Amino acid sequence: MAHYFEDKQRDLALSKTSAGVRYRSPQAAFEGKWICDTPEGINGVVAGPNGDGDFHHDDDATQLCWWFWGDSCLSRESYHPNKTGTTADAQAFMTLGPAAIRQEDE
């Protein structure tokens, strides 16, 4: 799944190169930090709700609240980077260097 999303992000970034968008794969920065690794950099399935942005039983998307979880619904934190993962993302972006930051006055 990670490779699918990476391919989609890369394709989008490549379509915007004339606007100065650059792409750097975070895959190398995530080595050893996948869902089953210790420490994991990506959350697995997270039960919610944990905040206003999560799904709730009275939402239109109640199919994301399963009977076997009781009062829990799927959290939007599922399959998203946690603190370790956002650090890995930042490392990938920082390797692009200062040239990756497009100044509006250029």
Side-chain angles (χ1 to χ4, degrees):
M1 184 180 255
H3 294 290
Y4 170 82
F5 287 122
E6 180 182 5
D7 289 345
K8 295 296 182 184
Q9 290 172 344
R10 184 185 59 248
D11 291 347
L12 178 61
L14 291 174
S15 74
K16 305 293 182 186
T17 55
S18 64
V21 174
R22 297 173 64 189
Y23 179 76
R24 174 69 179 214
S25 172
Q27 296 297 330
F30 273 93
E31 286 301 318
K33 299 176 189 77
W34 300 111
I35 289 175
C36 295
D37 293 327
T38 302
E40 63 184 21
I42 302 288
N43 293 324
V45 174
V46 177
N50 295 318
D52 291 338
D54 278 347
F55 299 103
H56 297 80
H57 280 281
D58 56 346
D59 293 338
D60 291 334
T62 55
Q63 67 271 19
L64 297 172
C65 301
W66 292 291
W67 63 269
F68 57 85
W69 276 3
D71 290 334
S72 296
C73 299
L74 183 66
S75 171
R76 290 186 173 156
E77 294 176 19
S78 299
Y79 303 109
H80 282 82
N82 56 26
K83 186 176 181 179
T84 299
T86 55
T87 300
D89 269 338
Q91 289 170 347
F93 292 126
M94 296 304 288
T95 61
L96 282 173
I101 301 171
R102 182 182 169 102
Q103 301 294 327
E104 289 192 23
D105 57 352
E106 289 182 26

